[in-house]
Amino acid sequence: MKVLNITHVSDMDGRGCEILTKLVFPDNEIILSEPGLVHEVIENLDYKKYDKIFITDLALTLKTGLIIEENPEFKSKVIHLDHHVTDMTDKNYSWSKVYETDETGFEVCGTTLYYDYLLENYPDNEILKRNSVKEVIEGIRCQDTYTFEKYNNTLGPSLTNVFANSDMDIFIESIIDRLKNGNLEHFELTNEEIDLIKRTEKEKADYIEECDKRLIRMNFLGYKVGLSLSTKYRSVVGNKLSERHKDELDFILMADCVNEKFSTRTVNDIDLNIVCNQVGGGGHPKAAGFNMTKETLELVKPYLDEELVE
């Protein structure tokens, strides 16, 4: 069976799905994409080459979903598993399963949704039952849902640290090799990876302190917001600064000028998906984003100008 996995390129959740595909299906192909590029991938895909097409950890718009839904042959091959709610989610297409939590309220991510699907539909696959695989899946879930402190999970942040500070493709292939041929009970980091994690944690702590000093207070869409011009560790920076300024600021807004995007993080009782929808973006209740456009830049420009003058 020829399997295609279209998955998110930028984080361990998307690449966790790649790991599962390569563990379970010998005849596989991977397409790595960003959410904004999925429509182009689907529109130009030669779907007839594949027996099964898994789209994982990537939000689909209604426009993209219609391409699949209106083609019976294409639709019969596709399974979409994601935890990002969009305008397509309400359509309840049979081939698309989108959940932010399971029926018990347990937080999920793209990798765990895919893992559960594979366990249910390929129950004879022994590698999925290995404890080392389960450890990696749970680590990715805790990191991606930012619940690693809640569940006292250190593997998730460690995997993300190495992923972000080394050759991503080589690291993913090394994880696959270890899960296939290494310790079946526990996933083991190498000594080099452990050293890298220690150095990165120190650098990250120093960087958070620097970002805190430079935090710009502003009003944004009626909210009290801290604007950070951080260039790295954005998820960690956003969450840590939101924790520190929980009573003062509703959420943290981070400007990524390289990729022309804004991202938001909060620990408060605010739905950032709804906030970002107001400016054409979206995401999760505690983590969302939107594009850096002329219109959105106008909302922050007065505060940036004031900061530059000072």
Side-chain angles (χ1 to χ4, degrees):
M1 183 170 71
K2 178 74 171 180
V3 168
L4 172 66
N5 182 198
I6 306 170
T7 194
H8 191 199
V9 64
S10 299
D11 63 12
M12 277 302 302
D13 191 19
R15 304 303 289 269
C17 298
E18 174 189 355
I19 290 168
L20 288 171
T21 296
K22 290 181 175 179
L23 288 175
V24 175
F25 304 107
D27 190 5
N28 67 75
E29 186 175 328
I30 308 294
I31 295 178
L32 300 173
S33 179
E34 290 287 2
L37 301 176
V38 181
H39 182 78
E40 182 179 345
V41 172
I42 297 299
E43 200 171 33
N44 297 295
L45 185 66
D46 183 7
Y47 64 86
K48 294 184 178 182
K49 290 169 49 180
Y50 310 102
D51 299 297
K52 205 77 175 175
I53 300 169
F54 295 101
I55 306 171
T56 54
D57 194 40
L58 287 167
L60 300 184
T61 63
L62 180 57
K63 181 181 178 182
T64 306
L66 284 173
I67 295 176
I68 300 170
E69 179 65 19
E70 294 178 351
N71 185 328
E73 185 181 359
F74 195 176
K75 181 172 69 171
S76 68
K77 299 172 182 284
V78 172
I79 296 293
H80 174 230
L81 300 164
D82 189 33
H83 61 135
H84 304 94
V85 176
T86 69
D87 55 359
M88 195 198 76
T89 308
D90 294 337
K91 295 298 180 182
N92 294 317
Y93 292 142
S94 60
W95 47 269
S96 178
K97 309 297 180 186
V98 180
Y99 306 104
E100 291 186 316
T101 60
D102 65 16
E103 60 276 4
T104 67
F106 193 66
E107 306 91 347
V108 300
C109 66
T111 299
T112 51
L113 289 170
Y114 190 28
Y115 179 72
D116 290 343
Y117 175 90
L118 294 174
L119 272 181
E120 181 178 349
N121 290 275
Y122 301 91
D124 295 331
N125 188 284
E126 291 301 320
I127 199 166
L128 289 172
K129 301 172 185 177
R130 293 178 180 176
N131 194 62
S132 57
V133 174
K134 294 177 183 177
E135 284 184 346
V136 170
I137 301 307
E138 175 62 4
I140 291 172
R141 186 196 71 80
C142 286
Q143 173 63 33
D144 201 68
T145 59
Y146 221 80
T147 54
F148 52 86
E149 290 182 350
K150 176 180 178 181
Y151 296 105
N152 194 28
N153 186 296
T154 59
L155 180 59
S158 294
L159 291 172
T160 294
N161 267 335
V162 180
F163 179 77
N165 293 281
S166 58
D167 186 299
M168 298 177 183
D169 295 333
I170 292 175
F171 181 53
I172 293 302
E173 290 302 324
S174 75
I175 293 175
I176 294 169
D177 181 63
R178 275 175 271 182
L179 292 177
K180 282 183 176 179
N181 306 310
N183 189 323
L184 304 187
E185 283 302 309
H186 297 290
F187 181 79
E188 298 176 331
L189 295 162
T190 67
N191 290 334
E192 292 79 5
E193 288 167 351
I194 292 170
D195 289 340
L196 174 61
I197 290 164
K198 289 178 180 177
R199 293 196 305 272
T200 303
E201 286 299 328
K202 174 64 168 61
E203 178 185 307
K204 195 181 297 181
D206 293 341
Y207 188 70
I208 290 170
E209 293 301 324
E210 188 63 29
C211 289
D212 197 1
K213 292 176 184 176
R214 297 183 177 182
L215 195 63
I216 303 169
R217 273 72 173 174
M218 59 178 283
N219 292 313
F220 184 81
L221 300 176
Y223 293 93
K224 295 179 180 178
V225 171
L227 174 64
S228 174
L229 304 181
S230 51
T231 58
K232 53 187 177 180
Y233 307 129
R234 275 180 285 274
S235 293
V236 176
V237 169
N239 278 282
K240 287 297 182 183
L241 293 184
S242 185
E243 288 173 359
R244 290 186 181 187
H245 303 284
K246 183 178 186 298
D247 297 329
E248 174 196 358
L249 300 172
D250 296 315
F251 62 87
I252 302 298
L253 175 66
M254 289 159 290
D256 180 358
C257 296
V258 174
N259 296 303
E260 298 184 342
K261 292 181 179 179
F262 286 103
S263 58
T264 61
R265 295 292 187 277
T266 190
V267 297
N268 289 313
D269 189 19
I270 297 169
D271 191 331
L272 292 178
N273 181 47
I274 294 175
V275 174
C276 291
N277 277 338
Q278 296 179 56
V279 283
H284 301 295
K286 302 301 180 185
F290 54 92
N291 290 330
M292 190 177 284
T293 64
K294 180 180 178 181
E295 291 75 19
T296 56
L297 279 171
E298 285 297 324
L299 297 173
V300 302
K301 188 175 183 296
Y303 300 94
L304 290 175
D305 290 343
E306 182 179 326
E307 179 73 10
L308 291 173
V309 169
E310 292 179 359

